[in-house]
Amino acid sequence: LLTLVLASLFCNCFLNATDYLPYTHSILGESYVENISSDGYMGDVQVWDITTDGNEMVFLATAKGLSVYDGLEWKNYTTVNTSFFRSLYYDPDNRLLYAAADNEFGAWERNEYGHYEYRRFYQNQQNDSPEIFWKIIRYQNKIYFQTRSRLYTY
């Protein structure tokens, strides 16, 4: 089911076949396909990145924040200053969802009530030199955040 949801989101984001319908369903052979519009996942029509926690959670980075699917419903989380997230990386060892946006990066952590809270690790203060973070990876117990011209570690 998770694979089908991810494939459906990928197709919906690039084909935009269901922009005006919150959900459409079809049976193709023996597979059940569900196309989910941006209204359905509570995010922007442009999904910049998608990842999972390896179990039940699906995470989407959009211009409207972080959309989270728990297998039953979608929730959207935003931050005070930035909601335009471009890249995500889930670290199963410390259960953090690293997120990078325009001019900042940080991590989302699930609290005791099951909601996600964001902690900012870095924010670019130079308005004349914007930094757009495109990729996050983990290598040898460090997290790397990539822009077009720089690489940051945490």
Side-chain angles (χ1 to χ4, degrees):
L1 178 60
L2 178 60
T3 303
L4 290 176
V5 169
L6 295 175
S8 175
L9 286 169
F10 176 80
C11 291
N12 186 40
C13 294
F14 289 100
L15 299 178
N16 291 322
T18 59
D19 279 348
Y20 303 103
L21 299 173
Y23 296 94
T24 57
H25 304 282
S26 63
I27 303 291
L28 300 174
E30 294 182 23
S31 298
Y32 178 73
V33 177
E34 180 179 6
N35 292 317
I36 304 167
S37 75
S38 58
D39 290 334
Y41 59 79
M42 303 172 70
D44 190 66
V45 294
Q46 231 176 357
V47 175
W48 289 98
D49 202 2
I50 184 169
T51 193
T52 71
D53 69 354
N55 294 315
E56 75 249 9
M57 307 300 277
V58 176
F59 305 100
L60 306 179
T62 77
K64 290 185 179 177
L66 175 70
S67 294
V68 179
Y69 182 65
D70 65 4
L72 297 174
E73 65 179 347
W74 288 96
K75 290 183 182 173
N76 192 62
Y77 297 93
T78 59
T79 63
V80 176
N81 296 326
T82 300
S83 60
F84 200 111
F85 290 99
R86 293 189 186 265
S87 57
L88 301 170
Y89 172 77
Y90 185 80
D91 186 351
D93 292 341
N94 60 23
R95 296 182 175 179
L96 289 178
L97 176 66
Y98 292 97
D102 293 354
N103 292 310
E104 76 172 65
F105 60 81
W108 294 89
E109 186 171 21
R110 196 172 189 182
N111 67 21
E112 62 204 49
Y113 304 106
H115 301 286
Y116 285 86
E117 297 175 345
Y118 182 72
R119 278 186 299 153
R120 181 180 296 118
F121 299 149
Y122 167 81
Q123 184 175 27
N124 178 19
Q125 300 295 327
Q126 299 173 341
N127 292 333
D128 60 338
S129 181
E131 294 179 301
I132 299 173
F133 290 89
W134 294 106
K135 188 160 183 78
I136 306 168
I137 65 164
R138 179 180 173 179
Y139 180 69
Q140 294 183 345
N141 294 324
K142 289 186 180 180
I143 304 296
Y144 292 86
F145 298 86
Q146 174 199 345
T147 70
R148 191 178 74 144
S149 60
R150 294 186 177 143
L151 189 64
Y152 294 81
T153 61
Y154 175 77

